């Protein structure tokens, strides 16, 4: 199994919207990727919550059956359609993939 964890810090303003609006839109778009390929075992998109510590605005926690499933997800057109939007609204990104 491969765990794929990504965290994004968003710009205060981008694409004519504020950080909170863009975070919600990003989550909506990423949530559409939750079942796009076989082998996605877990797919959770979470936004920073008020009154809880957070240094990033959006987190994706996902688990894939194997590397092939992760690669299929990354290359899938639905995922690829989200990438440009995230690229414009993000200030920073951290990612870690690891096998368990």
């Amino acid at each position: 199994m491969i765990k794929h964890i990504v965290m994004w810090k968003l710009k205060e303003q981008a694409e004519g919207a504020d950080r909170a609006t863009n975070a919600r839109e990003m989550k909506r778009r990423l949530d559409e990727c939750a079942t796009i390929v076989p082998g996605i075992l877990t797919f959770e998109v979470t936004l920073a919550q008020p009154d809880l510590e957070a240094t990033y605005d959006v987190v994706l926690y996902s688990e894939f059956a194997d590397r092939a499933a992760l690669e299929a997800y990354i290359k899938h057109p639905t995922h690829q359609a989200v990438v440009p939007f995230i690229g414009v609204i993000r200030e920073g990104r951290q990612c870690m993939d690891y096998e368990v």
Side-chain angles (χ1 to χ4, degrees), residues 31-99:
D31 282 341
E32 292 177 353
C33 296
T35 59
I36 58 175
V37 297
I40 296 176
L41 306 175
T42 302
F43 197 92
E44 181 178 280
V45 181
T46 304
L47 304 180
Q49 299 175 11
D51 302 323
L52 292 175
E53 184 177 355
T55 55
Y56 283 81
D57 300 302
V58 182
V59 174
L60 167 63
Y61 173 84
S62 52
E63 297 176 349
F64 294 83
D66 51 31
R67 290 175 190 239
L70 175 59
E71 280 298 314
Y73 160 75
I74 290 169
K75 293 177 182 177
H76 193 280
T78 302
H79 174 260
Q80 286 298 307
V82 178
V83 171
F85 176 72
I86 294 173
V88 171
I89 67 168
R90 74 178 171 108
E91 182 177 296
R93 175 185 180 271
Q94 298 294 320
C95 178
M96 184 169 185
D97 296 334
Y98 60 99
E99 197 164 9

